[in-house]
Amino acid sequence: MSQKEGGWGFSTRAVHVGQGPDPATGAVVQPIHLATTFAQEAVGKHHGFEYSRSGNPTRQALEECLAALEEARHCLAFASGLGAESTLMLLLKPNDHVVYMEDVYGGTFRLFDKVMKRFGITFTAVDAADLDAVENAITPATRLVWLESPTNPLMRVVDIDAVSEVAHSHGARVCVDNTFATPYLQQPLHLGADVVVHSATKYIGGHSDVVGGAIMTSDDELEKQLRFHQNAVGAVPSPFDCWLLLRGIKTLALRVERQSENAMTVARALEANKAVSRVHYPGLESHANRSVAQRQMRMFGGMMSFEVKDEPAAFRVLERLTIFALAESLGAVESLAEHPARMTHASVPAAERKRVGVGDGLIRLSIGVEDAADLVADLEQALASSHA
Ligand code: P1T
């Protein structure tokens, strides 16, 4: 990011960083560079690109823009959120230890539990909202503390600043999965974290039409290792996917503001509904860590979950919704609803789900940009006719 761009606000950076008019044609939209290989004038003499897995101009534009949004020195783009996560985990070695927030996306749990453990990396799950629990779980082998905040699907909030201080005092790095918050609402690197990961499939893309991932860091040494692994492992996004993400990013702040406003209205309506026993949303006074969320987030975001009596009641609500689509994923313009225990978190064993608090009556909502009144009416009719 140039000095001039560094002074720009979030939305100006979202629209312009990495995306000046094309010098060859003046096109105001970044071209999609489909070339897999780039001609060299002499061996090793080129314009910065050799082969598209190692570097591509459209991907570079995306990486520059995403780095600017997290106010990071570096960003690396990947073919999915899990592609980003697994590339980051490959920096670890056998016998290294990871402490992670117990309430994480089911696919993240699966990556740790079913893949990385096979390579001799060990893991301890903690409630990272409890600083003592984090400190007690850290061992001399701990290299990484992995956080989500807010978490998927219980919307628990972790004090990133405080956990970073504890982790750093033991020589461990801190990674925050910032997918739910987005860089517009929360910037973990400014709160002490060393590295941020995103499923760009969600808010960054924002339109349910592209799968992608990203890692951001301001640590030059870490970036060097990540850049090597991005190329060596090869989980890179296609130029068209990068272009779609760039297109989505331009409206990120607008969408997230509307989604956060809508979510607050929906959360309050659900809290007042007799069929709902509990609402998990960081903006509600009833949320255990609302004050931490208020301190580290600009608004409270578009995600929430709520509890009804049991699984049959949850299924009835989900089947009766008409505006909300019953679907996995989140963060796009259209509202989605899903059942974590049977869908996004089905890869977490039942006993572990129960221990963490992901019950069978839990429904997760991703609030879109529709009219809040219509979303509330849809939920109210589904809850009323479901005898939840
Ligand atoms: O799906 P992918 O782009 O690979 O991202 C994985 C991922 C990582 N981190 C968080 C917090 C996520 O929520 C996800 C993907 N989550 C869903 C598909 C979901 O419905 O929760």
Side-chain angles (χ1 to χ4, degrees):
M1 197 159 55
S2 69
Q3 213 170 2
K4 177 184 79 174
E5 292 167 348
W8 286 347
F10 185 92
S11 287
T12 311
R13 282 180 270 139
V15 174
H16 292 291
V17 173
Q19 305 170 76
D22 179 32
T25 62
V28 296
V29 172
Q30 183 67 25
I32 307 173
H33 289 277
L34 291 172
T36 55
T37 191
F38 299 84
Q40 308 193 9
E41 283 166 43
V43 176
K45 192 170 173 220
H46 52 69
H47 300 280
F49 301 99
E50 295 164 77
Y51 180 61
S52 211
R53 169 163 38 74
S54 8
N56 171 281
T58 315
R59 188 171 97 214
Q60 182 174 293
L62 172 67
E63 290 178 338
E64 283 177 15
C65 187
L66 282 174
L69 297 190
E70 282 287 0
E71 297 187 48
R73 287 166 60 85
H74 313 286
C75 169
L76 301 97
F78 293 88
S80 68
L82 279 170
E85 291 184 27
S86 50
T87 304
L88 178 63
M89 297 308 286
L90 288 171
L91 269 47
L92 298 175
K93 292 189 289 300
N95 301 319
D96 283 352
H97 176 243
V98 178
V99 174
Y100 71 98
M101 175 57 175
E102 59 189 6
D103 183 36
V104 288
Y105 167 54
T108 300
F109 173 85
R110 184 176 53 202
L111 173 69
F112 294 172
D113 191 54
K114 293 278 190 293
V115 182
M116 300 316 300
K117 273 188 185 171
R118 281 198 273 118
F119 295 90
I121 295 158
T122 60
F123 294 86
T124 304
V126 297
D127 173 6
D130 175 355
L131 276 186
D132 289 340
V134 176
E135 184 134 41
N136 292 336
I138 292 177
T139 74
T142 307
R143 297 284 167 269
L144 187 65
V145 175
W146 182 285
L147 304 177
E148 259 183 37
S149 187
T151 60
N152 182 359
L154 290 169
M155 304 303 299
R156 281 151 69 174
V157 168
V158 178
D159 185 335
I160 297 168
D161 198 6
V163 170
S164 298
E165 212 175 300
V166 169
H168 291 158
S169 74
H170 292 272
R173 280 185 166 129
V174 174
C175 172
V176 178
D177 183 335
N178 205 27
T179 298
F180 268 33
T182 82
Y184 182 58
L185 299 183
Q186 174 174 283
Q187 293 179 312
L189 299 179
H190 285 315
L191 298 166
D194 303 280
V195 57
V196 166
V197 299
H198 279 277
S199 168
T201 317
K202 311 297 180 324
Y203 289 96
I204 288 172
H207 295 77
S208 299
D209 55 9
V210 54
V211 173
I215 303 179
M216 292 82 151
T217 184
S218 291
D219 179 329
D220 295 343
E221 181 48 41
L222 190 58
E223 189 261 346
K224 248 193 243 159
Q225 293 178 31
L226 285 166
R227 193 68 70 187
F228 171 82
H229 282 77
Q230 182 192 38
N231 181 46
V233 176
V236 292
S238 76
F240 184 58
D241 287 353
C242 294
W243 183 87
L244 278 172
L245 289 168
L246 279 168
R247 181 184 168 122
I249 286 168
K250 292 180 202 290
T251 55
L252 179 61
L254 293 171
R255 287 185 278 109
V256 172
E257 277 183 15
R258 174 65 172 255
Q259 285 159 327
S260 298
E261 283 165 15
N262 280 356
M264 187 59 109
T265 305
V266 169
R268 287 202 196 291
L270 287 174
E271 212 170 36
N273 193 300
K274 284 196 197 59
V276 174
S277 53
R278 195 156 170 209
V279 183
H280 304 275
Y281 184 64
L284 291 175
E285 286 70 21
S286 57
H287 190 280
N289 262 348
R290 184 179 188 277
S291 59
V292 177
Q294 197 154 30
R295 201 170 64 232
Q296 67 188 19
M297 297 176 75
R298 193 196 288 252
M299 296 171 86
F300 298 106
M303 295 301 298
M304 73 183 67
S305 54
F306 66 97
E307 294 172 29
V308 292
K309 197 171 62 195
D310 52 19
E311 185 174 277
F315 281 12
R316 283 195 295 272
V317 173
L318 288 166
E319 283 157 23
R320 285 177 176 138
L321 288 166
T322 58
I323 296 174
F324 286 82
L326 171 54
E328 305 203 4
S329 203
L330 58 111
V333 289
E334 64 277 345
S335 292
L336 302 178
E338 65 108 15
H339 188 257
R342 291 291 195 107
M343 296 170 68
T344 51
H345 291 67
S347 55
V348 181
E352 178 66 6
R353 279 201 307 270
K354 198 166 172 206
R355 190 185 71 74
V356 171
V358 179
D360 294 338
L362 187 75
I363 292 173
R364 191 190 72 183
L365 300 179
S366 170
I367 303 296
V369 302
E370 302 95 334
D371 292 288
D374 293 333
L375 298 179
V376 169
D378 193 25
L379 284 160
E380 285 179 345
Q381 66 76 23
L383 284 160
S385 59
S386 74
H387 309 294

